[in-house]
Amino acid sequence: MSAVTQDTSVSTGRVTRAFIYLVLILFALFYLLPLYVMVVNSLKPLPEITGGNMMALPREWTLEAWGSAWSTAQIGVSPTGLKPYFLNSIMMVVPAVALSTMIGAMNGYILTKWRFRGDVWVFGLMLFSCFIPFQIVLIPMARVLGMLGLAGSVPGLILVHLVYGIGFSTLYFRNYYAAFPTELVRAAQIDGAGFFRIFWRILLPVSGPIAVVTIIWQFTNIWNDFLFGASFGGVNQPMTVALNNLVQSSTGVKEYNVHFAGAILAALPTLFVYIVAGRYFVRGLMAGSVKG
Amino acid sequence: MAAPAPADFRTRLQDWLPKLVLAPSFAVTILFVYGFIIFTIFLSFTGSKMLPKFDTWVGWANYHRLFSLPEWNIALKNIAIFASLYIIICTAIGLMLAIFLDQKIRGEGGLRPIYLYPMALSFIVTGTAWKWFLDPGIGLENVMHQWGWESFSFNWIKSNTMAIYTIVIAAVWQTSGFVMAMFLAGLRGIDNEILKAAQIDGASNWQLYRRIVIPLLRPAFLSAFVILSHLAIKSYDLVIALTNGGPGRATAMPATFMYSYTFTRNEMGVGAASAVIMLMTIAAIMVPYLYAELKEKK
């Protein structure tokens, strides 16, 4: 999929243009609104929210809610704040992303440059696995994790995300390597280069862009996952599950400012990635939907 | 029998190596995806309650029970409302924003990331933000009252009949920018010569888009439909964070139904049956689409 190539040659009148700008700006406000509400209210003391206006800027700016969300808020039964869960998410995401990307690169290389009978079927089966509703695997997965002694642990979550992440990473690398001239691989083979050497010397050096796309995609998906975390996290829940526990807890006063601060904390890593590498993020989204 | 020469062995190893390296991934997929699917399908024909039990074959009983449960029927009704509104509104907004952005807009580079950033957030974050924004006590309703519009009322999120629409609002907020990006890529791929030719023939802008541009965007429509319907059927996190299926069970969805019947109500057989129905629905949409995509490739 090529990115921005050309503007349309359609021309529009003045009134139409004014209308178009108005609509575009209104929608920008619509998309920014929840972020504004979250940030502004996370910086207010609680009474200013319950007795005040959600859209107003804080009269008294404070980082108290942030401190509370990070280190003292009640999550489930213990007042630990979101910090340990944030660390759980990091420990889960890093190996899962690294492994699924490396495996995906190998798979993509094999499926395009070492084709064999039935390779399209192998790929098709892996591709469909990206789109199954994960409800269909929850029950057996719980059982398998239990048998492996990985239930309720971070390694268990890594395994789950790795298993269901390979499909997408394979898809990305396969589509990318498909455009790489196979003649170069054949030439290297005739020169006596082996399977790993060709990958290492010829394909890996050109894999930068697709590796970034894959890493961002896997990172966003795994960090944002809730279903697997809630089902298999046990006491080692990831950030999303802890945030939900914080917000849904029915005991005590609802500390909206802490909820908002927690929500931003949960969003920060993926937002950060989006801000520094938005271009690749969009490319990944497109490659995951329009396979071509 | 003579031992194979080292060189011979090496070539044969090279022949096998790719398959050997691919094998673990393939095996894992077969076991953890297709094996598990078969496991769950099998389970849906057993009387499993809290734990899987394979010696209690009950035939189609779980499916009969599933479709007689009021909660499942509510979930089906909700997913029908949610999915259709979500797909239609996202497509409409996405198409409109894409066409507007394509008019040589100043600041396009600044607007596009604003439309798209919600896609980077988790549904739990989106749900939390909208939950409090739509809360009548502190959110939009209160804001309007403070600004002097005393009679303003917006309590959909607390209403049995309207709460499902708040899920549509939050979900549209999250993904419509992504649909915009898909359509924009489609628009940018259209050859300007075609448009110029039509303009010379005297076509108005409206006709240009209705007769030429939108029909040319067919592949983007198809991808948007497939992605959005697949997201809609899987929607679980957003419902949990926004309404937790409530008020009562007004916003129950197949995904929340499956989870609660399997893990909290100890009706694993029924839960498995509901998961099978979800899989079949998604497969009915995805398999033809993926098949066509793969066939094109060959």
Side-chain angles (χ1 to χ4, degrees), chain B residues 118 121-131 170-171 173-174 238 241-242:
Chain B
L121 304 181
S122 104
F123 276 117
I124 300 292
V125 172
T126 302
T128 304
W130 282 95
K131 181 190 179 74
W173 178 81
Q174 175 121 355
L238 184 62
L242 194 63

Side-chain angles (χ1 to χ4, degrees), chain B residues 48-60:
Chain B
S48 303
K49 293 291 175 204
M50 209 173 111
L51 292 166
K53 266 199 183 141
F54 294 106
D55 48 356
T56 52
W57 189 261
V58 295
W60 293 94

Side-chain angles (χ1 to χ4, degrees), chain A residues 96-289:
Chain A
V97 170
L99 289 170
S100 65
T101 305
M102 288 192 292
I103 295 172
M106 267 329 226
N107 290 349
Y109 166 55
I110 295 165
L111 288 169
T112 50
K113 303 300 168 218
W114 297 84
R115 300 194 57 170
F116 51 90
R117 260 163 62 105
D119 60 350
V120 177
W121 277 98
V122 171
F123 178 60
L125 285 171
M126 293 181 77
L127 186 58
F128 180 67
S129 74
C130 299
F131 298 99
I132 57 167
F134 290 126
Q135 281 77 14
I136 197 82
V137 299
L138 284 185
I139 303 170
M141 195 67 194
R143 218 173 147 76
V144 166
L145 287 177
M147 285 188 317
L148 295 173
L150 292 175
S153 74
V154 172
L157 286 174
I158 295 173
L159 176 72
V160 175
H161 285 299
L162 180 58
V163 166
Y164 299 108
I166 292 177
F168 263 119
S169 58
T170 303
L171 163 70
Y172 284 162
F173 280 99
R174 176 189 178 274
N175 286 354
Y176 187 78
Y177 288 152
F180 185 85
T182 305
E183 298 78 53
L184 287 180
V185 175
R186 293 291 158 257
Q189 242 183 319
I190 291 163
D191 290 346
F195 173 77
F196 286 110
R197 208 177 151 81
I198 293 174
F199 178 70
W200 193 254
R201 286 292 184 80
I202 299 179
L203 282 137
L204 205 59
V206 298
S207 306
I210 197 65
V212 176
V213 167
T214 310
I215 289 170
I216 290 177
W217 172 269
Q218 298 283 358
F219 176 79
T220 313
N221 269 354
I222 299 174
W223 183 276
N224 288 342
D225 160 73
F226 176 77
L227 183 63
F228 287 145
S231 310
F232 310 129
V235 289
N236 289 302
Q237 290 159 351
M239 189 68 176
T240 48
V241 182
L243 172 65
N244 189 54
N245 285 343
L246 170 71
V247 176
Q248 306 285 358
S249 83
S250 46
T251 50
V253 189
K254 282 215 184 309
E255 297 184 288
Y256 303 109
N257 51 354
V258 178
H259 298 177
F260 284 129
I264 300 173
L265 283 173
L268 269 184
T270 51
L271 264 186
F272 175 75
V273 168
Y274 177 67
I275 290 165
V276 298
R279 209 158 50 90
Y280 290 99
F281 176 82
V282 177
R283 219 189 280 176
L285 278 176
M286 310 294 289
S289 55

Side-chain angles (χ1 to χ4, degrees), chain B residues 23-41:
Chain B
S25 297
F26 187 60
V28 157
T29 307
I30 291 297
L31 180 70
F32 283 76
V33 177
Y34 298 95
F36 281 10
I37 288 174
I38 292 167
F39 183 102
T40 307
I41 292 174

Side-chain angles (χ1 to χ4, degrees), chain A residues 1-12 17 19-21 23-25 27-28 30-35 37-38 49-55 103 106-107 110-111 114 116 120 122-144 159 163-164 166 174-175 192 194-196 220 224-227 230-231 240 243-244 247-248 254 256 259-260 263 266-267 270-271 274 281-282 285-286 288-292, chain B residues 10 14 17-19 21-22 25-26 28-30 32-34 36-37 39-40 43 52 93 96-97 100-106 108 111-122 124-125 128-133 138-139 142-143 146-147 169 172-173 176-178 181-182 185 188-192 195-196 199 205 208-209 223 227 230 234 236-237 240-241 244 255 258-259 262-263 268 272 275-276 278-279 282-283 286-287 289-290 293-294 297-298:
Chain A
M1 191 117 248
S2 62
V4 185
T5 48
Q6 53 173 9
D7 275 322
T8 175
S9 66
V10 174
S11 56
T12 40
R17 281 195 84 73
F19 173 74
I20 287 175
Y21 273 101
V23 171
L24 289 177
I25 290 167
F27 267 96
F30 168 65
Y31 289 115
L32 286 174
L33 186 67
L35 187 65
V37 167
M38 281 198 285
I49 301 178
T50 48
N53 189 327
M54 193 173 244
M55 300 299 289
I103 295 172
M106 267 329 226
N107 290 349
I110 295 165
L111 288 169
W114 297 84
F116 51 90
V120 177
V122 171
F123 178 60
L125 285 171
M126 293 181 77
L127 186 58
F128 180 67
S129 74
C130 299
F131 298 99
I132 57 167
F134 290 126
Q135 281 77 14
I136 197 82
V137 299
L138 284 185
I139 303 170
M141 195 67 194
R143 218 173 147 76
V144 166
L159 176 72
V163 166
Y164 299 108
I166 292 177
R174 176 189 178 274
N175 286 354
F195 173 77
F196 286 110
T220 313
N224 288 342
D225 160 73
F226 176 77
L227 183 63
S231 310
T240 48
L243 172 65
N244 189 54
V247 176
Q248 306 285 358
K254 282 215 184 309
Y256 303 109
H259 298 177
F260 284 129
T270 51
L271 264 186
Y274 177 67
F281 176 82
V282 177
L285 278 176
M286 310 294 289
S289 55
V290 195
K291 285 155 286 301
Chain B
R10 202 178 157 252
Q14 285 293 332
L17 211 50
K19 286 173 203 161
V21 175
L22 187 65
S25 297
F26 187 60
V28 157
T29 307
I30 291 297
F32 283 76
V33 177
Y34 298 95
F36 281 10
I37 288 174
F39 183 102
T40 307
L43 211 59
I93 292 180
M96 183 187 70
L97 291 178
F100 283 5
L101 269 186
D102 197 33
Q103 309 298 326
K104 304 186 193 80
I105 292 299
R106 223 179 286 176
E108 189 205 317
L111 286 169
R112 252 182 319 154
I114 293 177
Y115 296 165
L116 252 165
Y117 87 90
M119 202 62 192
L121 304 181
S122 104
I124 300 292
V125 172
T128 304
W130 282 95
K131 181 190 179 74
W132 297 141
F133 183 72
I138 61 160
N142 180 47
V143 167
Q146 302 253 344
W147 283 350
I169 295 175
V172 165
W173 178 81
S176 46
F178 167 45
M182 282 165 63
R188 298 272 151 96
I190 293 177
D191 188 354
N192 261 335
L195 301 183
K196 279 180 190 148
Q199 275 171 330
N205 280 350
L208 208 61
Y209 276 99
S223 313
I227 293 301
H230 152 257
K234 282 167 78 166
Y236 173 73
D237 329 14
I240 292 294
N244 207 359
M258 185 275 163
Y259 200 90
T262 307
F263 296 113
M268 195 169 271
V276 172
M278 288 176 69
L279 175 74
I282 287 188
M286 293 309 298
V287 171
Y289 177 73
L290 295 178
E293 291 266 348
L294 281 179
K297 277 266 161 60
K298 266 207 262 185

Side-chain angles (χ1 to χ4, degrees), chain B residues 1-5 12:
Chain B
M1 272 261 232
R12 266 207 276 166

